[in-house]
Amino acid sequence: MSEPTNNSTDWSSSLAFLTLRAWLGVRSLVTGIEKFSGTRTVQQPLLDAAGNPDSSGAVVEVQQKFYSLSAYQAIPESMRDKFSQEPFMPAFLTTPFYAVLGWVLIVLGITVLLGVCTRVSLFAMGLLYVGLTVGLILIKQDAGIAWLAIHVVMIAYALTLEKHNRFAITRS
Amino acid sequence: MTSPVPSGDLVGLERRKFLKTTAAAGLTMALASPGTIWGQTAKPAGGVAANDTLNLALVGLGAQGRILMEAILAIPGVRIVAICDIWEYARTYGQRFLKKNGFEVRAYENHQDMLAKEKELHAAIVATADFWHAPVTNDCLKAGLHVYCEKMMSNTIAGARSMVETMKQTGKLLQIGHQRRSNPRYIVARDRLLREAKMLGRITAANAQWNRAVSDDLGWPAKTAMTKEQLNRYGFDNMHEYRNWRWFKKYGGGPLSDLGAHQIDIFNWFFDAEPTTVIGNGGKDYYSTHEWLDNAMVIYEYRLPEGVARAFYQVQTTTSAGGGYYEQFMGVHGTLKMSENPKYTSLFREAAAPSWDQWIKRNFIAAPKAAPKADDDNAGGSAVVDARETAALASYVLPIVLNKKIHQPHLENFFNAMRGKGKLNCPADEAFKSEMVVFKAIEAVEQKKLVTFTPQDFAV
C-alpha cells in the first residue's frame, strides 16, 4: 500500500473545498432568490380526465409561485412581528438589515460559488449567519439557532480549507 | 315580495275569465310546440331563438326577488321588462333600481293584468310569498311563459303538485330555485368527489344545519302600509303578517321549508334517492309573534344501494348563528362538509383511506392543512384525549370557486335551457320530490311521530 503523494492530497483537499464552496454558495444564492418569491392564486378551468374543461364549467383556484422584486420579503411576517417587540432590535437597525438581507445572500452566494474573494466572502457569510443567530436567540428559536450553527461550522471548516482553493476567479 | 293576484269571490269571475283565455293560449302554444320540454332538453318551444334577448317579468320584489333581480342584471342577453308586486313601495323600489341600471320597466300590482298587457314576455321569475307560487306560476305557464319559481314550490302539497301538472300540460320549462344544483362547487362535489372519485367510500350518514341568530320581525315605513282591504284582496290579514309571511301557516312553511328546503334537497340530490322515513321534533318555543315552529330537528332514513344512510337536519332560529350553515356527508373513508359559504367547506380523510393524491393532481381538492396535534387539544394541560377518540384528521380544501352571484348559475341554466342549450338543473318534477320530503318532515315534527314515505307520495 503506497502513501498518497502530496499532489494527490492537495487535489483531494481542493475537491473537498470545492464541494463545500459549492454547497455554501448555492445555499446562500438560492435562499436569497427565494426571498423574492411569492405565491399568487390563479383561477383556471377544472379539467376532466381527458384534459378538457369539466362539463360543470367549474373554475378552480390554484396556487402559483412567482418571482418578483415586488414580492421581496426578508423574513416571514410572523417573525418580523416578534422582532419588532425586542428591545435589542430597534427599527433603525432591523429596517436596513431587512432591506439588504436578500441581496447580500445573493451576492455572497455568487462570490463564494465563483470564487471571488473567497476568504472574505466566506467570512462575511459567517458574520451574516451570526447576525441571524442573534435574532433567533432573542425570540428563543432554538431549532433555528442549531440550524444556523451547522452553517457556521461548515463555513469555519471551509475557511481552514481555503488554502486549497482552486477554480476561483480571484485569489483569496 | 308577495303576490299579485286577488283571491276569493270578489275576483273569481275575472280570474276564471283570465284562465280561460290563457289556457287557450297555452294550449295553442303547446300544440305548436315541437315536443314536451319540461325538465328535459330545451327545444325553444316558446319561440326563443338561441340569440334572442329574453324578456322577463319579475313577480315579487321582496328580499328574494331583489336578490334575483341583481343576479339577472349580471347576465347578458336578458332584460327585465315588467315587474309586479302588490306593494307600491316594493314596485317603486324595483322601478328605481332597474332605472339606475338602465332598464325602464312597467310595474303592475296584479300579475293577471301584467300577463294580459305584456305580450313580449318570454319568462317570468316568481319570488312571491309561498302561497302565491302555485297560482302565479300556473297562470304564467298557461299564458305561454317559461317560469323560474323560488322554492318552496308551494305551501301545500296540492299546490306543488299542480305546478308539476301544469308544467307537463303546457310543455313549458319550470325551474325551481334550489340554486345549489347549479353551483359548480356543489356539482363538482357531487359528480367528481363523491361519484367519480368515491373519496368518502360508502356514505353512511349525513347531517346539515342552518343556525340563525335571533332577529326582530320585519317592519315597514308607516306611510307605505297597505290598507286592510288591499291586503285582504291578496290573501293577507294584516301588514305584520304580510311582511313576516314566512312565519305564518297560511302563507309559508316556516324555517324547515324556508331554510331547510335548500339543504334537505341536497340530501336527495347527493344520495340520488328519496328517504323512506322521517322522524322529528321541534317547537315554537321562543317567538310569541309567530305561528310556525322556530326550531326543528329531523332524521331521515335513506335506503341506498350500498346500504342504509341516515341524515339528520336541524334548523335553529333562536340560537346564535354559531356553526353556520352546511351540509355534511360522512363515509367510511372521509367526510365532506359542504356549504354555499366556502369558509364552512372542507374535506377530512381517514388515515386508512386510499390516497387522495391523484385527486389533488386533478385539482378536485387542494392539499390539506396540517392536522391538529394531540397537544393542541390539551392546551390547558388538564384535558385527556379519550382512548376511543379517533385522531384528528387533516382538512383538505375544495378549490372550486364561484365567481358569480350565488343565484346566477341557476338563472343562467334556466335561460340556457330556454335557448335550447342544455337541460334544467332543477325541473319542477324533480324539485317536487325534495319538497315532499320537506312537507313530511314538517308533519313529523308537528305530530312528533315517524312518518313513512310511499312511492305515491312522489308521483305526479
Side-chain angles (χ1 to χ4, degrees):
Chain A
M1 197 169 159
S2 61
E3 288 292 318
T5 64
N6 283 343
N7 192 38
S8 66
T9 305
D10 284 352
W11 267 105
S12 295
S13 299
S14 293
L15 291 175
F17 179 68
L18 188 61
T19 305
L20 202 51
R21 209 181 87 195
W23 193 93
L24 289 167
V26 167
R27 176 74 172 105
S28 180
L29 174 63
V30 177
T31 303
I33 291 172
E34 281 301 293
K35 296 194 180 295
F36 293 88
S37 72
T39 304
R40 63 184 156 214
T41 302
V42 296
Q43 297 187 349
Q44 60 189 46
L46 179 69
L47 303 178
D48 62 19
N52 300 313
D54 190 81
S55 57
S56 66
V59 172
V60 64
E61 276 187 344
V62 295
Q63 301 293 311
Q64 270 187 357
K65 190 174 178 181
F66 70 101
Y67 293 90
S68 158
L69 291 177
S70 62
Y72 176 71
Q73 191 177 27
I75 58 172
E77 203 63 42
S78 57
M79 197 175 270
R80 198 174 181 137
D81 290 343
K82 287 181 181 173
F83 288 150
S84 68
Q85 295 168 15
E86 289 298 327
F88 284 145
M89 300 192 73
F92 73 86
L93 287 178
T94 54
T95 302
F97 183 78
Y98 296 151
V100 301
L101 177 61
W103 293 106
V104 170
L105 284 166
I106 290 172
V107 169
L108 290 177
I110 291 171
T111 55
V112 169
L113 202 56
L114 298 180
V116 178
C117 303
T118 310
R119 188 186 303 161
V120 174
S121 296
L122 283 170
F123 183 61
M125 188 181 282
L127 289 180
L128 179 62
Y129 290 156
V130 169
L132 291 170
T133 303
V134 171
L136 294 185
I137 291 170
L138 290 173
I139 62 170
K140 298 178 179 57
Q141 291 279 326
D142 293 340
I145 295 164
W147 185 244
L148 281 173
I150 294 170
H151 288 64
V152 170
V153 169
M154 291 175 74
I155 291 169
Y157 184 53
L159 285 168
T160 66
L161 288 178
E162 195 276 336
K163 58 181 175 286
H164 301 290
N165 191 11
R166 297 188 192 202
F167 307 109
I169 290 179
T170 65
R171 298 183 63 81
S172 293
Chain B
M1 158 167 195
T2 49
S3 180
V5 174
S7 60
D9 294 342
L10 181 67
V11 293
L13 281 174
E14 282 181 21
R15 181 178 172 82
R16 277 191 289 277
K17 183 180 169 189
F18 173 81
L19 289 179
K20 261 189 192 173
T21 313
T22 51
L27 181 61
T28 306
M29 292 183 120
L31 290 172
S33 303
T36 302
I37 58 173
W38 39 270
Q40 298 299 323
T41 15
K43 291 183 182 173
V48 180
N51 296 320
D52 278 357
T53 295
L54 304 179
N55 294 329
L56 310 177
L58 176 57
V59 185
L61 283 151
Q64 192 62 25
R66 293 176 191 192
I67 288 171
L68 294 176
M69 180 166 64
E70 289 177 23
I72 289 167
L73 290 176
I75 301 173
V78 298
R79 65 183 171 207
I80 299 172
V81 298
I83 59 172
C84 181
D85 197 291
I86 66 168
W87 195 16
E88 185 182 3
Y89 183 69
R91 292 197 300 274
T92 304
Y93 171 87
Q95 276 189 306
R96 286 179 180 168
F97 182 85
L98 289 165
K99 190 172 183 179
K100 274 186 194 168
N101 287 278
F103 295 95
E104 289 283 353
V105 299
R106 295 169 289 279
Y108 298 87
E109 177 183 315
N110 179 312
H111 84 272
Q112 291 181 340
D113 285 345
M114 182 187 77
L115 291 175
K117 290 175 185 166
E118 296 290 337
K119 298 302 179 191
E120 302 297 323
L121 292 175
H122 294 109
I125 312 296
V126 180
T128 63
D130 288 358
F131 80 118
W132 273 114
H133 284 175
V136 173
T137 296
N138 288 337
D139 287 349
C140 289
L141 289 169
K142 288 170 183 172
L145 305 185
H146 302 295
V147 176
Y148 178 109
C149 180
E150 264 306 323
K151 64 90 215 98
M152 289 280 284
M153 293 170 71
S154 172
N155 62 326
T156 66
I157 294 172
R161 192 169 260 130
S162 77
M163 293 166 74
V164 180
E165 288 167 349
T166 308
M167 176 188 77
K168 291 181 176 179
Q169 286 162 11
T170 60
K172 293 296 168 186
L173 296 171
L174 175 51
Q175 172 102 306
I176 304 302
H178 292 288
Q179 77 275 357
R180 284 169 176 75
R181 291 196 181 220
S182 296
N183 185 326
R185 296 178 63 252
Y186 277 80
I187 294 172
V188 168
R190 172 184 180 262
D191 294 348
R192 299 287 166 256
L193 273 53
L194 268 53
R195 296 191 172 185
E196 181 182 339
K198 300 187 190 305
M199 290 168 62
L200 306 187
R202 179 188 156 189
I203 298 174
T204 53
N207 67 283
Q209 69 169 45
W210 198 319
N211 291 344
R212 184 175 270 188
V214 168
S215 61
D216 294 331
D217 285 352
L218 296 175
W220 60 95
K223 64 181 180 185
T224 68
M226 287 182 278
T227 64
K228 184 164 178 56
E229 185 275 332
Q230 194 179 4
L231 286 161
N232 291 164
R233 200 188 318 152
Y234 294 102
F236 293 97
D237 287 347
N238 55 58
M239 203 62 194
H240 176 258
E241 290 186 11
Y242 165 72
R243 290 289 288 142
N244 297 280
W245 60 265
R246 295 169 194 275
W247 292 106
F248 293 90
K249 296 186 175 181
K250 187 176 170 185
Y251 318 117
L256 262 178
S257 144
D258 192 30
L259 302 174
H262 282 299
Q263 300 179 290
I264 292 167
D265 176 58
I266 297 302
F267 289 156
N268 278 17
W269 186 44
F270 274 38
F271 282 141
D272 196 19
E274 290 84 46
T276 50
T277 63
V278 58
I279 189 166
N281 203 342
K284 188 170 86 72
D285 312 314
Y286 187 87
Y287 292 107
S288 59
T289 55
H290 301 166
E291 273 183 6
W292 270 118
L293 50 91
D294 39 44
N295 294 301
M297 297 178 180
V298 299
I299 302 172
Y300 293 102
E301 184 170 282
Y302 287 83
R303 294 192 178 275
L304 307 173
E306 58 272 29
V308 171
R310 291 187 183 82
F312 168 73
Y313 182 74
Q314 73 168 24
V315 57
Q316 311 284 341
T317 63
T318 63
T319 60
S320 79
Y325 60 105
Y326 59 81
E327 305 88 38
Q328 184 163 264
F329 291 83
M330 288 171 279
V332 295
H333 292 155
T335 293
L336 165 66
K337 185 179 178 187
M338 276 302 297
S339 176
E340 279 190 315
N341 187 338
K343 78 178 182 187
Y344 295 133
T345 303
S346 50
L347 289 108
F348 303 93
R349 177 180 163 274
E350 289 295 330
S355 168
W356 286 359
D357 289 352
Q358 61 178 314
W359 311 122
I360 294 176
K361 286 180 189 159
R362 290 277 304 274
N363 285 326
F364 287 5
I365 55 174
K369 299 169 221 165
K373 293 175 183 171
D375 289 349
D376 295 346
D377 293 329
N378 289 327
S382 57
V384 175
V385 177
D386 191 296
R388 294 157 295 185
E389 183 178 352
T390 304
L393 303 179
S395 172
Y396 291 69
V397 175
L398 182 68
I400 312 300
V401 292
L402 176 63
N403 289 326
K404 302 173 178 177
K405 293 179 184 295
I406 206 81
H407 295 81
Q408 194 174 328
H410 207 43
L411 287 159
E412 288 173 340
N413 168 253
F414 174 60
F415 300 139
N416 285 338
M418 285 176 64
R419 293 189 169 102
K421 300 173 185 170
K423 298 176 180 178
L424 290 180
N425 285 341
C426 191
D429 50 342
E430 181 68 21
F432 177 76
K433 295 173 186 171
S434 286
E435 305 217 353
M436 174 59 73
V437 169
V438 175
F439 284 126
K440 293 289 186 181
I442 296 171
E443 181 185 330
V445 170
E446 292 212 298
Q447 298 183 15
K448 298 192 190 304
K449 69 170 189 180
L450 180 77
V451 173
T452 301
F453 293 92
T454 66
Q456 290 72 34
D457 288 331
F458 302 106
V460 180

